[in-house]
Amino acid sequence: SFQKYEIKNGEILGSNLGDRKKYVELKDQLKSIDELFDAIDKDYSGGLRKALKDEIEAVQKQLDEQVQAKQYLAYQTSQEQARLRDDRRRIPTDKIQEVRSELNLLRQKTVEYRNKRDAQREHENSSQHYEWLKSAHQIYQDMLGRDVTVAKPYLMIIGLVLICLAGSLVILKLTVLAVAALVGVLVSGWLYVRQQWRSVTRVHEIQEMENVRKEFRIKLGRDLTGLPAILELLQNLEEDYNHARLLKKQLTEELNFIKGAERKLDEQITVLAGEKKDPKTWDEVLRLLENHAKKLDIQIHDKEKLLARLSVDDSDYHTERPLLEYSKQRLEALEQKRRKLLADLEAETRKLESLKQRICDATREDIVTPWEVLIGKLRQKREQVTEEYKQKTAEILGKMAVRDVIGQLRKTEDSKIVAALNSPEVEMPLLQMTGRYKSLNLDGDRLMVSDPFNTFSLSELSSGAHEQVLLALRIGFSTRLMNRDPAFLILDDAFQYSDWERRKRLVDTVAALAEGGWQIIYFTMDDNIGELFDEAGKQFGEAYKFVELNSE
């Protein structure tokens, strides 16, 4: 295999055996170590990992800024929510509902009051003559129950008589009787005056009754026919009159309630609105307060949803305004980019761990060995392998130089060998020993044997023919080298693979050489060959020796 080595493009080529196998192993090992150093320069000493770390640091800085902006937005939202809640607490919904209920009740009571007032006025109008009619009824009834009497003249006569009697008794000095007579005068006079007074009063009552009839006609629009007519009217008006009085009492109470409710509502709405408001605008004030409360509730809910989406604990609030505004899309994009960069860095780290393991395999060091120590060990390993590679390369190149020199010599020798192969010294014993082949030649490194018809490679011949050809070569080359002078041969069972016919021919050829002066020594374990030599050797007499070696 060494003879086939060649140098091409600075590399030794040839079969992967022997020295070249070691050369290839050292070269591959050196290449592997160089690849490890390249990987160290690329993956450990900087390169992509460093670029990834720098990019991750830059992305992390942007992420921190976005997180701070998010924390500030959460803080700002929380502050706005607190302010909105303060505003909302100043609008008590329950109180507004209570005030609205009271306002509705006031309105209801006001409507009821007005309806009741209208009813009261209607009843009052219907029974407006009830009091007069009742008084007229009493007057009319009293007048009808009195007798119409005229003062009697006898009382006057009696009085005159008693006056005369009293005068007489005074004259007669009957004082007691005179006093009694005067008393009688007074009594009769009083009775007369009383009768006269009643007569005058009756006239007035008659006049008053007439006035009642006139007033009755004016107020009621019809004539007074008598007491039953007055009673009938009184009965008709009494219900309206009583109802009007009852309603009037109720109206007074309800009016007091309404005024009190208005004062209370005025105070409550003033408190709610923060200023005094016209009662006509109370509904609008309450509506605006309710709408404002609803708007505040919506805003508070929106802030709550925003805080929930931001998901920032109040302990992480950032109170200083950042340089940029928070963007959810930007934050998510940065987080996604950071995850990808971390994944890439993790992949590079795994590659680095794999690289470290490869270096450990190359240096036979433990995986926990620090990188610096490991790289030093690898450098030592490279120096060692480089030295071995140089030595092996120098060795192979030296051998190839020797080979080339020998090759040049061999070419010269080959030409001599070819000349020898075609010489009679070789062809004659070849034909004698094989009985078939007549010539030999070289085809590269192969020895070719020819008969009259074909040419064969020596390796294609049978074992016996192979031995015959080789023996013929030895004899022929020996004869040629010795310039045909006798020489000697030592043969070690050279004919044992030949058949019986060829054995006889071979022994005869050797005997012929002996006749020419050659000294032949043949070792054999084959009895047949021994017998053939013993028979052929008898012709030499004492010059032939047969020695048999036994176990002793």
Side-chain angles (χ1 to χ4, degrees):
S1 61
F2 173 76
Q3 300 299 325
K4 298 180 181 179
Y5 291 171
E6 62 176 334
I7 298 175
K8 187 175 182 180
N9 297 328
E11 185 177 355
I12 300 174
L13 303 179
S15 59
N16 195 23
L17 299 171
D19 289 334
R20 188 177 180 279
K21 180 179 181 181
K22 182 64 176 177
Y23 161 81
V24 171
E25 289 176 353
L26 289 170
K27 183 178 180 181
D28 291 342
Q29 192 173 1
L30 187 60
K31 180 181 178 182
S32 177
I33 293 174
D34 288 339
E35 289 175 351
L36 289 175
F37 273 110
D38 289 341
I40 289 171
D41 292 338
K42 179 181 178 182
D43 299 331
Y44 175 74
S45 300
L48 183 57
R49 285 184 74 252
K50 186 176 185 306
L52 286 172
K53 285 183 177 180
D54 292 343
E55 192 170 0
I56 289 172
E57 184 177 352
V59 170
Q60 185 62 52
K61 182 178 179 182
Q62 297 178 51
L63 265 174
D64 292 341
E65 291 174 349
Q66 277 295 319
V67 169
Q68 285 185 357
K70 178 181 179 181
Q71 292 170 340
Y72 176 75
L73 178 59
Y75 166 75
Q76 192 178 40
T77 303
S78 176
Q79 294 296 308
E80 291 174 358
Q81 185 188 47
R83 178 182 57 78
L84 290 171
R85 282 178 172 168
D86 288 340
D87 292 344
R88 181 63 180 84
R89 278 192 289 270
R90 286 193 285 271
I91 307 176
T93 304
D94 294 342
K95 188 64 177 178
I96 292 174
Q97 293 297 328
E98 179 184 343
V99 171
R100 181 170 290 283
S101 297
E102 292 180 1
L103 180 58
N104 291 334
L105 179 62
L106 173 62
R107 295 231 171 98
Q108 178 184 348
K109 290 295 185 182
T110 302
V111 171
E112 292 176 358
Y113 173 81
R114 289 171 180 171
N115 292 334
K116 188 174 290 187
R117 184 185 61 188
D118 293 340
Q120 191 271 338
R121 288 175 179 175
E122 183 178 349
H123 288 297
E124 190 175 52
N125 290 334
S126 298
S127 61
Q128 62 179 331
H129 303 303
Y130 177 79
E131 292 287 345
W132 176 84
L133 190 60
K134 186 176 180 181
S135 176
H137 171 265
Q138 187 63 40
I139 293 172
Y140 199 78
Q141 187 177 21
D142 290 343
M143 287 181 180
L144 291 177
R146 294 177 183 173
D147 294 334
V148 181
T149 56
V150 181
K152 303 297 182 181
Y154 67 86
L155 292 174
M156 185 179 291
I157 295 172
I158 292 173
L160 292 173
V161 172
L162 289 174
I163 290 173
C164 291
L165 179 59
S168 299
L169 291 175
V170 170
I171 295 173
L172 293 178
K173 298 182 180 182
L174 295 173
T175 306
V176 176
L177 293 175
V179 172
L182 287 173
V183 170
V185 171
L186 291 172
V187 170
S188 60
W190 177 79
L191 289 174
Y192 181 78
V193 170
R194 181 182 177 195
Q195 286 183 351
Q196 286 293 110
W197 173 255
R198 283 184 176 178
S199 297
V200 173
T201 301
R202 184 59 179 171
V203 172
H204 288 295
E205 288 178 351
I206 292 171
Q207 185 62 42
E208 187 175 354
M209 186 176 291
E210 185 60 29
N211 291 336
V212 167
R213 289 192 181 95
K214 290 179 181 179
E215 191 72 19
F216 186 88
R217 186 181 305 109
I218 293 170
K219 292 181 180 298
L220 300 176
R222 57 180 176 175
D223 292 333
L224 178 60
T225 58
L227 188 61
I230 294 177
L231 287 174
E232 182 182 359
L233 284 173
L234 279 175
Q235 291 173 355
N236 292 337
L237 296 179
E238 184 176 11
E239 184 177 356
D240 287 337
Y241 176 79
N242 291 334
H243 202 176
R245 290 183 63 189
L246 177 62
L247 289 176
K248 186 174 183 179
K249 181 180 179 181
Q250 292 176 352
L251 285 171
T252 300
E253 295 173 354
E254 291 180 6
L255 183 60
N256 292 333
F257 173 82
I258 289 171
K259 290 184 179 300
E262 286 177 345
R263 287 192 299 272
K264 181 180 178 182
L265 282 170
D266 184 56
E267 294 172 357
Q268 291 173 329
I269 291 176
T270 299
V271 172
L272 290 173
E275 59 181 341
K276 193 173 185 63
K277 294 292 183 178
D278 189 337
K280 295 179 181 180
T281 65
W282 285 356
D283 265 325
E284 181 67 13
V285 169
L286 293 177
R287 186 184 66 79
L288 291 175
L289 286 172
E290 288 172 338
N291 290 342
H292 187 48
K294 290 178 182 179
K295 182 178 179 181
L296 289 174
D297 288 336
I298 293 173
Q299 291 176 340
I300 291 170
H301 183 62
D302 290 342
K303 298 300 180 184
E304 288 175 350
K305 290 194 296 184
L306 178 56
L307 284 173
R309 288 197 304 270
L310 293 174
S311 186
V312 177
D313 190 80
D314 54 5
S315 61
D316 296 327
Y317 285 165
H318 191 75
T319 58
E320 296 181 3
R321 181 181 291 276
L323 298 176
L324 48 79
E325 296 293 330
Y326 167 69
S327 169
K328 180 181 179 182
Q329 292 78 10
R330 176 64 176 161
L331 179 61
E332 290 176 349
L334 287 171
E335 288 176 342
Q336 183 177 2
K337 185 175 182 180
R338 180 176 177 274
R339 285 194 295 270
K340 183 179 182 303
L341 290 171
L342 287 174
D344 293 342
L345 181 61
E346 178 65 22
E348 290 299 317
T349 302
R350 286 196 297 270
K351 286 171 59 179
L352 193 62
E353 292 174 354
S354 176
L355 173 61
K356 188 175 184 181
Q357 184 61 58
R358 288 166 56 197
I359 296 173
C360 290
D361 293 340
T363 58
R364 304 288 189 234
E365 293 293 328
D366 194 89
I367 192 67
V368 298
T369 305
W371 270 99
E372 293 75 11
V373 176
L374 201 58
I375 293 172
K377 294 289 185 181
L378 184 64
R379 190 173 289 109
Q380 294 175 7
K381 181 70 175 178
R382 187 182 188 283
E383 292 173 356
Q384 174 189 345
V385 174
T386 300
E387 184 62 28
E388 292 180 8
Y389 174 72
K390 289 179 179 179
Q391 291 178 1
K392 181 55 65 177
T393 302
E395 181 181 345
I396 293 174
L397 292 176
K399 289 181 179 180
M400 289 179 67
V402 172
R403 179 202 65 183
D404 292 341
V405 172
I406 293 174
Q408 293 297 325
L409 295 174
R410 180 174 290 176
K411 286 182 181 179
T412 303
E413 292 299 321
D414 285 347
S415 64
K416 294 179 180 180
I417 290 171
V418 171
L421 289 175
N422 296 321
S423 67
E425 289 86 355
V426 175
E427 288 180 349
M428 185 180 296
L430 177 64
L431 182 59
Q432 289 176 349
M433 287 191 177
T434 61
R436 173 182 176 184
Y437 303 110
K438 64 178 184 177
S439 66
L440 293 166
N441 208 340
L442 284 176
D443 182 10
D445 291 337
R446 294 191 303 165
L447 182 63
M448 308 302 292
V449 182
S450 300
D451 62 12
F453 307 103
N454 295 301
T455 299
F456 306 94
S457 172
L458 181 64
S459 62
E460 295 176 358
L461 302 181
S462 64
S463 299
H466 190 275
E467 289 179 352
Q468 292 169 6
V469 171
L470 291 179
L471 181 59
L473 283 172
R474 293 189 188 100
I475 293 171
F477 273 94
S478 297
T479 301
R480 185 176 176 83
L481 290 173
M482 299 300 294
N483 292 320
R484 294 184 178 273
D485 289 337
F488 68 90
L489 285 175
I490 300 175
L491 303 173
D492 185 7
D493 236 346
F495 308 151
Q496 66 175 339
Y497 295 110
S498 301
D499 57 25
W500 299 99
E501 183 179 352
R502 285 176 179 170
R503 285 182 179 185
K504 180 71 171 61
R505 189 182 301 117
L506 289 170
V507 172
D508 290 343
T509 301
V510 172
L513 288 174
E515 288 178 359
W518 284 67
Q519 183 179 356
I520 308 297
I521 299 175
Y522 189 95
F523 294 97
T524 184
M525 297 176 60
D526 192 299
D527 292 340
N528 176 255
I529 293 174
E531 291 173 359
L532 290 174
F533 269 106
D534 192 45
E535 183 179 349
K538 290 178 180 181
Q539 62 179 312
F540 296 102
E542 293 295 330
Y544 169 72
K545 297 293 183 183
F546 183 86
V547 179
E548 184 177 1
L549 301 176
N550 54 34
S551 59
E552 296 180 358

